[in-house]
Amino acid sequence: MTTAVRLENVRKRFGELEVLRGITVEAKEGEVVSILGSSGSGKSTMLRCINMLEIPSEGSVWVAGEEVKFGSTRGAVSRSVDTAQIDRLRSRIGMVFQSFNLWPHMTVLQNVIEAPVHVLKRPRSQSVEEAHALLEKVGIGDKANQYPAHLSGGQQQRAAIARALAMRPKLMLFDEPTSALDPELVGGVLRVMRSLAEEGTTMLVVTHEMSFARDVSSRVIFLHRGAIEEDGRPEDIFTQKSSPRFQQFLGR
């Protein structure tokens, strides 16, 4: 299988605090990789380095076989030197955040078509047609003309997933997509994600939903203090074959 994304010896520091400590990992096309770990273990920072919302302090990132070009200052990676490349690679990555991040002054439909029309320069009529299909796909086809404030949290998150899918991404990143939802709303979002996995969508998912990680993932990664403690198949990692630290995490 082709590699969708690869991180090699990625480190990320915020001042004296080192959040990622030499992360090396890759995901193949069609894989669903669940990323587990306690709060502060570096899970979200890892995703943000893939989407270039954070620039690694050291190390390399590849997206779809293409190395991201970073500049360096005194040996430490500090900034991108090719903004055109960053924009192009970001257009291949869909990201769904914990807090939805929908534009409140736009309807759901407007949220979904904004990037395809203005970033990818697709015809508006085509983008609208595809947006309606995506909203039906995620189960909120009747909410196209509603504003985000009039939707439940679960509906807003499904709208955010439709918005990310509208860019036809090669890779989907989910940063704790259900953690801000009431328990009764979690199931609807997870069903959409399961459907995407069944369709072969490449996904990296930071999650605390153990059933999703166990039943849907191709692989599970466990981060501890900015380093990968476990990386394996769910059927292996959710057994006594895994480390005592991961077993302790599951117990909590």
Side-chain angles (χ1 to χ4, degrees):
M1 293 186 292
T2 305
T3 298
V5 62
R6 175 172 174 79
L7 282 69
E8 188 168 298
N9 197 32
V10 167
R11 295 178 179 271
K12 178 62 182 178
R13 303 181 189 89
F14 296 97
E16 296 298 316
L17 177 63
E18 189 171 39
V19 178
L20 297 179
R21 300 188 293 116
I23 296 289
T24 295
V25 67
E26 70 176 23
K28 303 291 189 181
E29 288 185 358
E31 278 194 314
V32 178
V33 181
S34 288
I35 304 165
L36 311 180
S38 302
S39 178
S41 61
K43 307 182 300 296
S44 296
T45 301
M46 176 179 157
L47 288 194
R48 291 173 68 86
C49 285
I50 294 171
N51 202 30
M52 293 147 280
L53 295 173
E54 298 287 353
I55 304 302
S57 303
E58 296 179 32
S60 303
V61 177
W62 282 265
V63 176
E66 183 175 346
E67 185 175 4
V68 182
K69 298 174 184 176
F70 297 119
S72 60
T73 301
R74 296 181 182 176
V77 176
S78 60
R79 61 185 179 86
S80 166
V81 294
D82 190 342
T83 55
Q85 183 201 38
I86 298 298
D87 291 342
R88 177 166 46 78
L89 291 178
R90 276 184 180 159
S91 71
R92 302 177 184 175
I93 302 172
M95 187 157 184
V96 178
F97 299 86
Q98 177 179 345
S99 55
F100 321 139
N101 286 11
L102 297 171
W103 291 296
H105 63 289
M106 294 182 179
T107 65
V108 169
L109 180 64
Q110 290 169 335
N111 266 278
V112 175
I113 69 171
E114 179 71 9
V117 170
H118 295 286
V119 177
L120 299 182
K121 308 301 181 185
R122 290 184 194 148
R124 181 180 176 84
S125 59
Q126 177 188 354
S127 298
V128 168
E129 182 178 352
E130 292 183 4
H132 280 296
L134 286 170
L135 292 173
E136 289 290 344
K137 180 186 182 73
V138 300
I140 55 169
D142 59 334
K143 304 298 182 183
N145 296 316
Q146 298 279 346
Y147 286 90
H150 298 151
L151 273 58
S152 70
Q155 290 167 341
Q156 289 187 61
Q157 193 61 292
R158 282 182 276 169
I161 293 172
R163 181 178 64 178
L165 292 173
M167 294 291 284
R168 302 177 192 167
K170 299 294 185 182
L171 171 67
M172 286 287 290
L173 308 178
F174 292 85
D175 190 3
E176 300 195 34
T178 61
S179 63
L181 302 180
D182 292 333
E184 64 269 20
L185 302 177
V186 169
V189 173
L190 291 179
R191 280 192 293 274
V192 172
M193 295 171 64
R194 285 173 182 263
S195 175
L196 293 176
E198 290 168 0
E199 293 172 5
T201 304
T202 308
M203 300 161 57
L204 270 65
V205 185
V206 170
T207 184
H208 291 293
E209 299 292 338
M210 294 300 110
S211 60
F212 179 91
R214 182 185 295 108
D215 300 337
V216 182
S217 304
S218 313
R219 282 178 33 236
V220 174
I221 292 172
F222 174 59
L223 288 184
H224 178 69
R225 295 182 179 176
I228 294 177
E229 175 98 1
E230 293 279 358
D231 181 354
R233 299 180 304 170
E235 55 265 37
D236 294 330
I237 209 169
F238 283 100
T239 68
Q240 294 302 321
K241 297 178 184 178
S242 57
S243 69
R245 189 174 285 131
F246 182 67
Q247 292 297 322
Q248 184 181 31
F249 170 78
L250 290 179
R252 292 201 303 268

